[in-house]
Amino acid sequence: MIKAAVMGYGTIGSGVVEVLTENRDQVAKAAGQEIEVKYILDLRDFPDSPVADKIVHDFKQIEEDEEIRLVVETMGGLNPAYPFVKACLMAGKHVATSNKALVAAYGTELLEIARKHHVNFFFEASVGGGIPVIRPLYRCLKGEKIQEITGILNGTTNYILTKMEREGASFETVLREAQNLGYAERNPEADVEGHDTCRKIAILTAMATGRQVNFEEIYTEGITKITDCDFKYAQKMGTSIKLFGTSRIGEDGRVSAYVAPVMVGKNHPLYPVSDVFNGILVKGNMVGDTMFYGSGAGKLPTASAVVADLIEAAQNLDQNVEMGWGEEKQEILPMEQTSFRYFLRLAGSHRNKEQDVEKCFGQTEVIELYGMDEFGILTETMTEGEFKEACSRYEGLEKEKGEYGIKQTIRALV
Ligand code: HSE
């Protein structure tokens, strides 16, 4: 029997205990022996719970107990998760975490410590919740040159955008509703501003390239500026708007990566990924497109991924499994060099603006909605740098006439 400790008895931590209990035989068979939770570290007591006798408040008890070989970190945040995980690895214990903030910020160092101490630092649950995507990257797709990873990696924002699309509701209304239903956090900034997706695409990029990625170098834009009106245009164009985290890896190893709302056509593999679900498209140079779909968050799906990590650690109790990335830094190209088509909403009537639009943006498709004092255009493909220049030229022309210019811009993959 292998003894484990769970640090953090919140939603995911209690889910891990539930999966280990519910699937005890299945887990024992896969791991080669039973996994028993000996300690649960939490600030709180749970006097009426069946795990009441396992609750401890002092981390030292876990760190110093040599019987503990496996540790689950489901506390979230960086402090004390980072020092605790580091200490566990240094004490020769394997760690499985669901904490993407920890992996994105300290993954390089923790992976290195795990290698040195012949243990494992696993984090399948940190990206895509219950969707297996980390392990496929270092196992099934190991022989591939990964060319692109594009994901809908945040359930909260996907739920909000789906509701806005289906019900014609505003961002604020749907966010409030999502908070009342408990889907969105009271402080939803990390989700709606794209920070959560940014950390996840940084982790996936590091997995794909084998190099460390500084998530702060990834251009990140959230969904707070997307309006119900944008969806009216999208509907007319047969498209949808999704929050993408994307990483494109060139032949030369150079990477362009971004997080942003993107207008996508019906033929895009991620178009049908709706509600709280996540979807991840991974393109390999030999295999082509592969898609991973499922519950990107939630108690049992996320706990299931943590338990899979525990099983892999149990199967490799005395060795480090080769995975993750090294200390070499991955350069991320500036966003200015990334190319898209662009959807814009422009004030006024197309008839009056046609020449200025062509002068600045070249050939465009025009989209008009009935009864609106504005119109939409879809540009040809250009770099972000070229697009910014075109926008500032257009704003200049508008200003000369004392008129308002650009009401909205959304990158488009159509
Ligand atoms: N807040 C995240 C989401 C949780 O909505 O997807 C999973 O990381």
Side-chain angles (χ1 to χ4, degrees), residues 100 153-156 185 191 196 200 278 296-297:
K100 70 227 134 198
L153 296 165
N154 183 270
T156 306
E185 306 275 345
D191 291 322
D196 178 80
K200 290 169 176 168
N278 282 195

Side-chain angles (χ1 to χ4, degrees), residues 89-109:
L89 294 171
M90 289 173 89
K93 302 175 195 305
H94 301 262
V95 175
T97 184
S98 59
N99 186 343
K100 70 227 134 198
L102 176 73
V103 181
Y106 294 107
T108 310
E109 184 192 353

Side-chain angles (χ1 to χ4, degrees), residues 208-320:
T209 60
R211 298 192 189 96
Q212 67 166 306
V213 171
N214 179 356
F215 64 86
E216 285 167 352
E217 288 174 15
I218 297 178
Y219 174 87
T220 299
E221 185 183 311
I223 63 162
T224 53
K225 293 193 195 101
I226 300 297
T227 68
D228 37 340
C229 187
D230 300 329
F231 275 107
K232 288 196 184 118
Y233 282 95
Q235 204 166 23
K236 180 144 190 201
M237 295 161 75
T239 63
S240 183
I241 302 166
K242 308 280 188 191
L243 182 67
F244 273 7
T246 289
S247 188
R248 288 201 197 100
I249 305 159
E251 270 292 319
D252 55 2
R254 281 148 64 98
V255 169
S256 63
Y258 65 88
V259 174
V262 173
M263 192 174 257
V264 283
K266 286 202 164 100
N267 53 0
H268 194 287
L270 292 170
Y271 176 91
V273 177
S274 301
D275 294 308
V276 290
F277 289 100
N278 282 195
I280 304 148
L281 170 70
V282 180
K283 286 186 197 210
N285 67 329
M286 294 291 134
V287 72
D289 286 0
T290 60
M291 274 278 284
F292 302 85
Y293 171 87
S295 295
K299 180 177 177 171
L300 293 178
T302 309
S304 164
V306 175
V307 169
D309 281 350
L310 291 180
I311 290 170
E312 180 147 4
Q315 290 168 340
N316 294 279
L317 272 183
D318 299 316
Q319 61 179 346
N320 175 264

Side-chain angles (χ1 to χ4, degrees), residues 185-198:
E185 306 275 345
R186 284 288 134 203
N187 179 2
E189 198 184 318
D191 291 322
V192 299
E193 298 292 357
H195 305 314
D196 178 80
T197 299
C198 171

